[in-house]
Amino acid sequence: MAELPSSARIETSFDGEVASVTLNHPPVNVIDFETISEILLFIESLTNESRLCCVVLQGAGHVFSGGVDVAAHLPDTAQRMISEFHRVFEYLDDLAAPTVAVVRGPCMGGACELAGYMDVVIATENAEFALPEIKLGVFPPVAAALFPQRFRFQGAMQMLLTGETINATEAVRAGLVSHLVPEEQLQQVLDELLRSFRSKSASSLRVAKRAVLQARGSFRSLVEPSERVYLEALMATADAVEGLEAFVEKREPIWGHA
């Protein structure tokens, strides 16, 4: 398995059956280019693990993640950011192992996209979810492409178009969260789920997941139209750049509505 650098933004483990990735980039576990690179390295290291039956994603501390680094969305790095971040989704599909997100506290933006892409989402009562990109004059391409089809349409569209934060109970109603549990029961619920996966044929689990993915269509084919609108139409607008720059500069945006 690949060795991660000492400055790792993530903590990883693999016990021969269950692989775990913990975002650990204080204070809010922002996903930057280095974090993405380390996640990809770890997923790649699991490619030939025949007994792999599950990948678990969670955040260290009381925050799942504040999302993908906003500065990376600016025009000079937007295409690189989109390409590299979306490779995480493609790498997970290539593994075709069951995936679980464990969410405590805020789960924002790209992190919400990533958690929502998992097969199972376990959230504690203090979990919060949001796609706040529209407040910065942009939008999340994966969520735009998949959330209205994957979850309750009106709930997904409200998240996309308002950027408002929803609590864990609202996330259950929207279909984003599978299990809502008190913090003290979280480990027990996770262990029970993993025990279920461990008791089954790992190869059969992965083949079943691959059947679902092939029937659905590849991540690339589903998300590419949304990516193209983001990079060719959205990033050509003055408001997209203004919103992102305003956030980085910690000021209110001045919208030109163009």
Side-chain angles (χ1 to χ4, degrees), residues 30-36 67-85 133 136 138 141 230-231 235 240-241 244-245 247-248:
V30 164
I31 301 170
D32 58 11
F33 284 120
E34 186 175 349
T35 306
I36 294 169
V68 177
D69 183 17
V70 171
H73 291 69
L74 287 163
D76 287 348
T77 52
Q79 186 160 1
R80 178 188 168 200
M81 179 272 296
I82 291 285
S83 175
E84 294 189 15
F85 181 53
E133 287 87 344
L136 309 185
V138 294
Y230 187 100
L231 293 170
M235 295 311 294
V241 178
L244 294 167
E245 289 183 342
F247 181 88
V248 172

Side-chain angles (χ1 to χ4, degrees), residues 5 14 21 25 28 40 46 68 76 80 83 106 118 162 176 181 198 229-230 234 237 249:
F14 179 54
V21 177
H25 183 196
V28 293
L40 292 173
L46 302 169
V68 177
D76 287 348
R80 178 188 168 200
S83 175
M118 302 293 105
T162 69
L176 180 59
V181 300
R198 292 178 193 275
V229 171
Y230 187 100
L234 179 74
T237 69
E249 295 167 7

